[in-house]
Amino acid sequence: MAVTLADAIIADMTLSRLPSGGSSFGYAEGQSVRISKVGAAGSFRFGKRASASFAVSETRSLVNECDWIEFTYNRERQRWEESGFFSDA
């Protein structure tokens, strides 16, 4: 998934615990998503303990173009867990 900002802001991010169709259409155990930043403006922040919908080992920021974070879904906990991160900031 590619994300971009038009302004020099810090956007606090969250991820959905369940799909819009509800828990009966839940994400698959081990499903992964990689979020990559496009463009130079602003930054995206995933704060440690900021949301029950995802877990990161420490606050992560996508600052530069091509920075990315990857999450894997833990169905038992109904949350996305950090499985990879890259930033050259």
Side-chain angles (χ1 to χ4, degrees):
M1 175 188 322
V3 292
T4 189
L5 287 167
D7 296 315
I9 63 169
I10 298 172
D12 287 315
M13 300 293 285
T14 189
L15 300 170
S16 175
R17 293 181 85 163
L18 301 169
S20 59
S23 61
S24 59
F25 300 98
Y27 300 115
E29 173 70 24
Q31 182 175 342
S32 65
V33 62
R34 178 177 281 193
I35 301 167
S36 299
K37 184 172 184 283
V38 177
S43 64
F44 295 94
R45 179 171 52 202
F46 296 85
K48 184 174 181 175
R49 297 186 192 99
S51 173
S53 67
F54 69 85
V56 290
S57 58
E58 60 185 77
T59 296
R60 301 293 194 188
S61 294
L62 307 182
V63 178
N64 296 325
E65 186 165 24
C66 298
D67 286 357
W68 57 266
I69 188 166
E70 190 170 273
F71 291 94
T72 301
Y73 193 70
N74 180 323
R75 191 168 173 110
E76 181 180 329
R77 294 185 174 172
Q78 292 185 329
R79 73 177 186 187
W80 294 93
E81 298 176 339
E82 178 185 358
S83 55
F85 173 73
F86 171 79
S87 175
D88 62 2

